[in-house]
Amino acid sequence: MMMYKATATALLATLFVAVPGTAKERLYDDFSGRMINSKKWYGAGGDVWMLETSRAIVKGRLHLGMTAYSGQQDDGAGVGGVFGLYLRSPEGITGATYDVDVTNAVAQACPGKPSEEVVTGPEFRARFFNTQASPTSQQGDVEVAVGFDRRPTDVGGALTAAFIYQECDNATCSSNTTLGQGTFGTVAPGTTNNIGVRWEQKRHRFVFELNGVAKISRYNVSDSSPPFLAEKEIDVAREIADCAATPRPYTTIDAYFDNIRVIR
């Protein structure tokens, strides 16, 4: 996932398992209304580099679209951001799944520097716990993202199903340490796939799910405190390296979300 660049990798144990059913999973929204339900959602994201955005219900699904560009002042670190919807009542949610169909995804690399990060995709992003005993800021919050990535090196329209979770290193979460990450493989554009995550606190692990198969990722940090920011969201995200050359790097994404389910 493009959530952040990894700074350090802790112990990550993964294995394939069948996804068990859970009685606590409930449908949160199937976008069957004419408009986005203001009792369930509020807007997330948006910045000056996003020149085109779309957020609307289209034929019973939520369409999120975004086209964004790089800075051109130098070949520096770049910029990232999201566009989507926050869940209005995120407290107590320990997981979520969603259906998503990516109909268009483009990631244009920086000429002469193809290894620089340019990536876009749909995701579910959440914070479930904080590693500190008595958190007074975002420091220690652990943020999870699970969804699909599109990079310039991908071929044939493929998107990589991936997950990552990171610990905030400071009060503003401007620096992060990667605790775990992994991939499922690729999915084709124009197909509907179900993906999500379940936090199992008693077992100190996350269960990431794709189309009925899961990967377990265990962590070795404290998880007894609630997050300072309990945000949960669905969005389309991007990270684009600054590039002084032309053509200018950009990303564009069109994704359709449906059947958002949450676990409490």
Side-chain angles (χ1 to χ4, degrees):
M1 295 301 296
M2 76 292 299
M3 187 167 69
Y4 302 107
K5 290 184 178 179
T7 55
T9 303
L11 176 66
L12 174 64
T14 59
L15 59 129
F16 282 101
V17 297
V19 177
T22 171
K24 295 182 180 180
E25 187 175 277
R26 296 288 185 272
L27 180 67
Y28 185 79
D29 202 347
D30 61 2
F31 303 108
S32 56
R34 292 186 302 107
M35 300 177 65
I36 296 170
N37 190 335
S38 62
K39 295 181 179 180
K40 296 180 179 181
W41 307 100
Y42 63 95
D47 58 60
V48 297
W49 300 109
M50 295 181 190
L51 299 190
E52 296 181 6
T53 57
S54 175
R55 182 171 56 205
I57 293 178
V58 178
K59 297 181 179 180
R61 299 187 298 175
L62 173 70
H63 173 239
L64 295 179
M66 172 180 64
T67 298
Y69 293 83
S70 71
Q72 289 185 294
Q73 65 273 21
D74 55 28
D75 291 335
V79 65
V82 301
F83 184 74
L85 293 171
Y86 287 115
L87 280 71
R88 288 194 64 91
S89 301
E91 295 81 4
I93 291 176
T94 59
T97 63
Y98 62 100
D99 293 336
V100 63
D101 175 6
V102 179
T103 58
N104 181 42
V106 177
Q108 173 66 53
C110 179
K113 299 188 71 176
S115 63
E116 293 296 318
E117 184 82 318
V118 179
V119 59
T120 189
E123 64 180 12
F124 170 72
R125 183 187 296 247
R127 298 187 184 190
F128 296 109
F129 63 88
N130 188 291
T131 62
Q132 300 190 354
S134 300
T136 58
S137 72
Q138 296 182 64
Q139 184 172 359
D141 273 5
V142 172
E143 189 167 48
V144 181
V146 58
F148 304 134
D149 290 346
R150 175 71 183 182
R151 288 180 163 82
T153 53
D154 294 330
V155 296
L159 296 104
T160 300
F163 62 85
I164 188 172
Y165 55 99
Q166 298 180 311
E167 180 180 357
C168 298
D169 293 333
N170 55 28
T172 60
C173 204
S174 60
S175 175
N176 311 275
T177 297
T178 298
L179 302 178
Q181 59 187 333
T183 62
F184 286 92
T186 60
V187 298
T191 62
T192 298
N193 296 273
N194 181 266
I195 194 167
V197 60
R198 182 170 69 252
W199 174 42
E200 297 184 348
Q201 182 180 18
K202 291 183 178 180
R203 297 183 177 183
H204 309 297
R205 70 184 193 179
F206 291 106
V207 181
F208 296 94
E209 308 171 1
L210 174 66
N211 295 331
V213 176
K215 278 192 172 185
I216 294 173
S217 182
R218 297 182 176 90
Y219 53 83
N220 56 5
V221 294
S222 174
D223 60 6
S224 58
S225 296
F228 184 79
L229 291 181
E231 295 174 345
K232 313 285 189 299
E233 67 189 81
I234 54 173
D235 63 57
V236 287
R238 63 72 168 86
E239 185 173 334
I240 309 176
D242 289 345
C243 179
T246 56
R248 187 179 183 182
Y250 75 97
T251 62
T252 187
I253 179 83
D254 286 283
Y256 291 82
F257 294 76
D258 202 0
N259 299 318
I260 312 300
R261 293 182 174 273
V262 299
I263 302 168
R264 291 187 186 270

